[in-house]
Amino acid sequence: MTDYAAPIKEMRFALALAGLDEVRALPGFEEATPDLIDAILDEAGRFGAEALAPLNRTGDLEGCRLEDDTVIAPPGFAEAYAQFVEAGWQSLVFDPEHGGQGMPWLLQGAVGEIWQAANLSFGLAPLLTQGAIEALTAHGSEHLKATYLPNMIAGTWAGTMNLTEPQAGTDLAQVRLKAVRAGEETYRLSGQKIFITWGDHAMAENIIHLVLGRLPDAPAGVKGISLFLVPKFLLNPDGTPGPRNDVHCAGLEHKLGIHGSATCTMAFGEEEGAVGYLVGEENRGLEYMFTMMNNARLSVGMQGVAIGERAYQQALAYARERIQSKSVTAPREAGPGTIVHHPDVRRMLLSMRSRVEAARALGYYAHANIDLADHHPDPEVRARAEATVQVLTPVVKAWASEIGVSAADLGVQIHGGMGYVEETGAAQHLRDARICPIYEGTNGVQAADLVGRKLLRDQGAGFARVVGAMEADLATLGDAARPVAEALLGLKASADHLMKVGDMGQAMGAATPFLNQFGTVAGGWMMARALAAVEGNAQPGITDDPNFAAAKRATARFYLDQVLPLADAFATQVTADQSCLLALPEEALATT
Amino acid sequence: MTDYAAPIKEMRFALALAGLDEVRALPGFEEATPDLIDAILDEAGRFGAEALAPLNRTGDLEGCRLEDDTVIAPPGFAEAYAQFVEAGWQSLVFDPEHGGQGMPWLLQGAVGEIWQAANLSFGLAPLLTQGAIEALTAHGSEHLKATYLPNMIAGTWAGTMNLTEPQAGTDLAQVRLKAVRAGEETYRLSGQKIFITWGDHAMAENIIHLVLGRLPDAPAGVKGISLFLVPKFLLNPDGTPGPRNDVHCAGLEHKLGIHGSATCTMAFGEEEGAVGYLVGEENRGLEYMFTMMNNARLSVGMQGVAIGERAYQQALAYARERIQSKSVTAPREAGPGTIVHHPDVRRMLLSMRSRVEAARALGYYAHANIDLADHHPDPEVRARAEATVQVLTPVVKAWASEIGVSAADLGVQIHGGMGYVEETGAAQHLRDARICPIYEGTNGVQAADLVGRKLLRDQGAGFARVVGAMEADLATLGDAARPVAEALLGLKASADHLMKVGDMGQAMGAATPFLNQFGTVAGGWMMARALAAVEGNAQPGITDDPNFAAAKRATARFYLDQVLPLADAFATQVTADQSCLLALPEEALATT
């Protein structure tokens, strides 16, 4: 019941749609041949289905536990992790100079989707390592990089992000963890972090914590936060893990979902102080942290896609085997049939699948733009791609993570009563998916980021670049794209409204509907592109499959006819007077 | 953190809006004076807050367990149940002839909301008893009624509904549980039922199961199902509970939520056959079952309201104490403030509260129509009220239960990471609420009922009566109601479309958006009425409170400006060509 297989055809289609050919042609990606990419996808699909997916349910049931001060992962996780490392999956996109394979981020978008779909709890471990590698690559000294990156890129050492403290969640200005200088490049850290994903485990030989802390003489607020590298095991002179550092998991959270992953309270410096090494310069930690956070946000959006896909596969399998009532579309003389023939069940399935496909396509497109921004020889193209990544990151994170929750919710509903009992696994997807709108910045934070930093700060310049590319492309897609082009005008009108409204309360009160409108319209763009590709037979190797083409026509039609119209309702919400939100005295909010 | 207090002011307002004065004036309700009703509400609020709410979290943590063949309820439940019975709460609306208090169903709508908000798991026990009392009252012989009703109405004996079998969920035509005649009025039953809520416990002295079964010579399908009364303990000649009947709980489900309630697999007749008594006539069981089901469906809608209210109270309490970042609406020099001042948090709170209020008002209105249908001297009024109950029941069940889930979901989101850990209790509300769209007929079944039985079957006659009353009322409400009047035209157009579309696949494919449109518009009507009542100061005792009036203006404004516009999007979904749902070959639905 909880099988998962990677939707390889759809992934190849979405990769092509996102511009894989253009990405492959970039300098540095000479080795990323179509054959190699196909082989990587196939092998990732196999590994996800065979090694990771079977551990998803047992991970949920068994959970992690803290034994002495080491987190014990669920049964099978350590073995799967060793295989993951052995196969080189952690290194896919990273710098060949430190042992990486230098493949495009676009490919990682697809491969990462497989890990998260197969086993979200497991997939968080390499995802956090990925973020730590990025931050260290971008901001670490050559010495730190040479010392830590090769093993992290190999995956033999894992990485974490230690940001949150009880009083400092969204508001990292409140970080208090104390760091004092203790020698050249060396500091001693003490304090507590909470909600640290895979903050401890024994699957890797070492864990490299990236930790936000504050020096005693640092300025208050966000300008006084520094980033430190704190290894679980200090290194021996030969670079191998040596003595235990003074950082320990002090407790595990009891969560709604992702039971297979450890969410740790981390205690730093309960004895002599945890040894840490400064990353970059003092007091610039927050800026560095955003390096890993931004990419992680895209990945969380892809988790929404991933879990939506998995929930869809499971709901479809159930709908195809569960016999209950005769469909109204069946012949009069027919007996009860499988519920997949009931129109309302079809509606739920298409609602899941069409939005998952739209979100996947947009997520891959954002990943392709990372590659363009990093590698394209033309600075103008790089700048446009960078703007695209900046603008789309909060949209993909929030909109796609909501789609993941909504798809998992519909997956439960399709199962009826069997969805509410835990044994089918449908409920687990809902519990697991529910974290995605929360972590790496809540979806409300994403909406505020989109409106505040990505729209208002540059007076719509970046937004205009992204929307301009959409408009130009839509103009090439023919009649089917016309409703999307109209919806895009609505999105521009909403953006204009936000830029003119003047009052920040009004603007921020409209942030979430603006993000919803953006995602809905951008998803419509992707589905119009998909429809055009299928109709134009632009991907012959795929659309020669009549079932694939028929499904894509159906999901595109459903999206354009029945999902895209929500954009108008969101626009009405954006332009509404938000005084009803803001003007109410706090006391009047109480109902009792 | 998981406190609950009944929102008494809002309840009184919604009761007035639903027509409490008109209901009180009906023959038979002479004793339901305003003072008595206020006293009942206050006392229910006290009992809910003090006796039931504190058991909500412990019930979730401890759950039920099966010991020998008796279900042991969570700690404190049996004591609370005894107090509930002692206070006479079970008897509130029932026939004084059998010991009931004969109060209006409208009042029960409010009182029941309190039980479900305080403790959904606990509240299911009296709710199921209520359904069993109704079915027995309507269809049982005088002898059965005299024998069983007094103790059921008192609550000393509980009731259950035994419908579902593994192959017979939505499709009750597939019921197989075997009943054979064993004497005058006596039958022996054997077989299995699943998903039986509170199918066993020791809180009551006896449990009266109402069970669907099939006689050996019965016709196939729904016309061969009979309804039986099967007591857990057979009665002694003096009417007291005697020997154990051959019906037992064989297992408990492990569910996503409502852990404090027992969901039982029931084994009938593992030895000599469970003794059952026929209710009404043979082979008419399904019809009788709908007597209890219809009212239970309204109650499930009210569960959505209830849990939405509770989630709101908890999220608001958290938002008022959690300090994180400075709001954009705060003065420049301000420091971090409570998150209740952040516009996006306000949006989530208002989104929860405005929809909960709209659903409560609509749910109470449906309950008032039960009283009008039962008691009004004018047969024309009775007929219109009956049509209103018929049409609104699936709308309230599905639309309000979705609001419950959505509100609980937003409640988690407002808590951020603290919402994803179980200790705050926010996640429990989401897990608990998630059952409501599933049981008592999934929301898809409700949508099919609305379109198939309540719209198409009588060619829109009942629908027209309900909508006619809405139109007439809207015409009296002034300018503020104009957007609702327009949205109502859209609803009528959608209904016309469904009546003309001809193809049942197209009609049923559009059923869920039609229900969503109906609920959204009807909720808008309620909020327009509420706004008019506040502006017209029609409820002076309540709206003299400036905070109440300000809040009502804000929630009505938010609903009319930002929720009601979704009705247009639903209309677009209703009238879309549903071929994309229906035409796809089953094989093409697979993504792998």
Side-chain angles (χ1 to χ4, degrees), chain A residues 169 312 324 344 420 512 589, chain B residues 169 312 324 344 420 431 512 589:
Chain A
Y312 175 81
Q324 202 71 179
D344 192 65
Y420 200 69
T512 287
L589 288 166
Chain B
Y312 175 81
Q324 202 71 180
D344 192 64
Y420 199 69
R431 290 188 288 99
T512 288
L589 287 166

Side-chain angles (χ1 to χ4, degrees), chain B residues 405-451:
Chain B
V405 176
S406 163
D409 183 78
L410 286 171
V412 169
Q413 190 67 21
I414 288 171
H415 282 76
M418 290 305 288
Y420 199 69
V421 298
E422 289 281 1
E423 72 188 77
T424 48
Q428 183 193 343
H429 299 320
L430 178 59
R431 290 188 288 99
D432 287 353
R434 192 60 191 79
I435 189 58
C436 298
I438 293 174
Y439 61 15
E440 298 298 338
T442 64
N443 284 2
V445 167
Q446 305 303 319
D449 178 56
L450 177 65
V451 170

Side-chain angles (χ1 to χ4, degrees), chain B residues 265-535:
Chain B
T265 298
M266 300 299 294
F268 291 81
E270 292 197 311
E271 294 173 16
E272 71 281 14
V275 173
Y277 309 101
L278 184 69
V279 177
E281 298 171 24
E282 290 182 352
N283 299 332
R284 292 183 61 186
L286 201 73
E287 170 194 339
Y288 303 156
M289 194 50 87
F290 270 104
T291 303
M292 58 172 138
M293 189 103 89
N294 267 335
N295 221 328
R297 286 176 172 180
L298 276 185
S299 299
V300 172
M302 293 312 299
Q303 289 185 327
V305 172
I307 209 150
E309 171 71 31
R310 183 161 192 169
Y312 175 81
Q313 291 187 16
Q314 176 159 356
L316 176 62
Y318 184 78
R320 293 181 76 177
E321 75 181 32
R322 172 68 172 167
I323 294 169
Q324 202 71 180
S325 302
K326 178 173 90 71
S327 167
V328 293
T329 56
R332 175 174 282 271
E333 65 281 9
T338 52
I339 64 172
V340 75
H341 295 293
H342 292 296
D344 192 64
V345 173
R346 288 272 173 135
R347 165 173 292 281
M348 290 190 272
L349 288 169
L350 268 279
S351 176
M352 296 168 80
R353 180 164 171 184
S354 67
R355 291 179 301 146
V356 166
E357 286 182 1
R360 175 185 290 118
L362 190 66
Y364 287 8
Y365 176 77
H367 278 82
N369 276 278
I370 299 178
D371 295 317
L372 293 171
D374 286 350
H375 291 263
H376 202 282
D378 181 345
E380 173 54 29
V381 175
R382 288 203 303 274
R384 191 178 63 221
E386 179 59 31
T388 303
V389 173
Q390 289 294 324
V391 171
L392 286 187
T393 293
V395 176
V396 170
K397 194 281 183 183
W399 177 68
S401 67
E402 291 287 350
I403 286 173
V405 176
S406 163
D409 183 78
L410 286 171
V412 169
Q413 190 67 21
I414 288 171
H415 282 76
M418 290 305 288
Y420 199 69
V421 298
E422 289 281 1
E423 72 188 77
T424 48
Q428 183 193 343
H429 299 320
L430 178 59
R431 290 188 288 99
D432 287 353
R434 192 60 191 79
I435 189 58
C436 298
I438 293 174
Y439 61 15
E440 298 298 338
T442 64
N443 284 2
V445 167
Q446 305 303 319
D449 178 56
L450 177 65
V451 170
R453 292 204 193 89
K454 309 297 169 64
L455 180 71
L456 300 183
R457 182 180 283 180
D458 69 358
Q459 278 300 303
F463 174 80
R465 284 187 120 137
V466 178
V467 164
M470 291 166 67
E471 268 180 324
D473 186 64
L474 283 165
T476 71
L477 297 179
D479 270 4
R482 205 175 315 149
V484 185
E486 278 167 31
L488 189 60
L489 292 178
L491 182 66
K492 287 166 72 175
S494 286
D496 284 344
H497 168 81
L498 293 175
M499 287 190 282
K500 283 179 196 150
V501 70
D503 181 272
M504 280 302 280
Q506 290 278 341
M508 288 304 175
T512 288
F514 180 68
L515 188 148
N516 289 337
Q517 187 183 2
F518 198 144
T520 304
V521 174
W525 174 39
M526 289 294 148
M527 294 310 268
R529 281 165 65 91
L531 192 59
V534 171
E535 297 302 354

Side-chain angles (χ1 to χ4, degrees), chain A residues 150-477:
Chain A
N151 282 307
M152 292 173 75
I153 287 174
T156 44
W157 296 357
T160 72
M161 292 165 63
N162 280 246
L163 286 69
T164 305
E165 300 176 15
Q167 79 294 345
T170 295
D171 188 4
L172 290 169
Q174 305 307 318
V175 160
R176 286 184 201 149
L177 185 122
K178 193 170 135 194
V180 294
R181 293 178 195 91
E184 206 173 333
E185 285 201 333
T186 305
Y187 296 73
R188 291 281 182 169
L189 278 65
S190 54
Q192 193 192 59
K193 293 285 180 183
I194 61 168
F195 295 166
I196 307 308
T197 300
W198 286 115
D200 190 67
H201 57 88
M203 304 190 294
E205 294 165 15
N206 204 353
I207 300 178
I208 311 306
H209 303 290
L210 292 189
V211 184
L212 290 185
R214 191 181 291 280
L215 293 164
D217 52 0
V222 293
K223 290 181 179 158
I225 297 169
S226 302
L227 181 64
F228 300 92
L229 184 155
V230 179
K232 174 178 177 182
F233 295 104
L234 297 168
L235 301 190
N236 294 317
D238 68 354
T240 57
R244 193 79 160 78
N245 200 354
D246 185 10
V247 50
H248 299 273
C249 175
L252 294 175
E253 299 291 350
H254 177 216
K255 307 184 297 288
L256 175 61
I258 51 170
H259 294 164
S261 72
T263 303
C264 303
T265 297
M266 300 300 294
F268 291 81
E270 294 198 310
E271 294 172 15
E272 71 281 14
V275 174
Y277 309 101
L278 184 70
V279 178
E281 299 171 22
E282 290 182 352
N283 299 332
R284 292 184 60 188
L286 201 74
E287 168 194 339
Y288 303 157
M289 193 51 84
F290 270 104
T291 302
M292 53 172 141
M293 189 103 89
N294 267 334
N295 222 329
R297 286 176 171 181
L298 275 185
S299 298
V300 171
M302 294 312 298
Q303 290 184 327
V305 171
I307 209 148
E309 170 70 32
R310 183 161 192 169
Y312 175 81
Q313 291 186 17
Q314 176 160 355
L316 176 63
Y318 184 78
R320 292 183 76 177
E321 76 182 30
R322 171 67 172 168
I323 294 170
Q324 202 71 179
S325 304
K326 179 173 89 71
S327 167
V328 293
T329 57
R332 175 172 281 271
E333 66 280 9
T338 51
I339 64 172
V340 75
H341 295 293
H342 291 295
D344 192 65
V345 173
R346 288 272 173 136
R347 164 173 292 281
M348 290 191 272
L349 288 168
L350 267 280
S351 176
M352 296 168 80
R353 180 164 171 185
S354 66
R355 290 178 301 146
V356 167
E357 287 182 1
R360 176 186 288 118
L362 190 66
Y364 287 9
Y365 175 78
H367 278 84
N369 276 279
I370 299 177
D371 295 317
L372 292 170
D374 286 350
H375 291 263
H376 202 284
D378 181 345
E380 172 54 28
V381 175
R382 288 203 302 275
R384 192 178 60 221
E386 179 59 30
T388 303
V389 174
Q390 289 295 324
V391 171
L392 287 186
T393 293
V395 176
V396 170
K397 193 281 181 182
W399 177 68
S401 66
E402 290 287 350
I403 286 173
V405 175
S406 164
D409 182 79
L410 286 170
V412 168
Q413 191 67 20
I414 288 172
H415 282 76
M418 292 303 289
Y420 200 69
V421 298
E422 289 281 1
E423 71 188 79
T424 48
Q428 185 193 342
H429 299 320
L430 178 58
R431 290 188 288 99
D432 287 354
R434 191 60 191 79
I435 189 59
C436 299
I438 294 175
Y439 60 16
E440 298 297 341
T442 65
N443 284 3
V445 167
Q446 305 303 318
D449 178 56
L450 177 65
V451 170
R453 292 203 194 89
K454 308 298 168 61
L455 180 70
L456 300 184
R457 182 179 284 181
D458 69 0
Q459 276 300 302
F463 174 81
R465 284 186 121 136
V466 178
V467 164
M470 290 167 67
E471 270 180 323
D473 186 64
L474 283 165
T476 70
L477 297 178

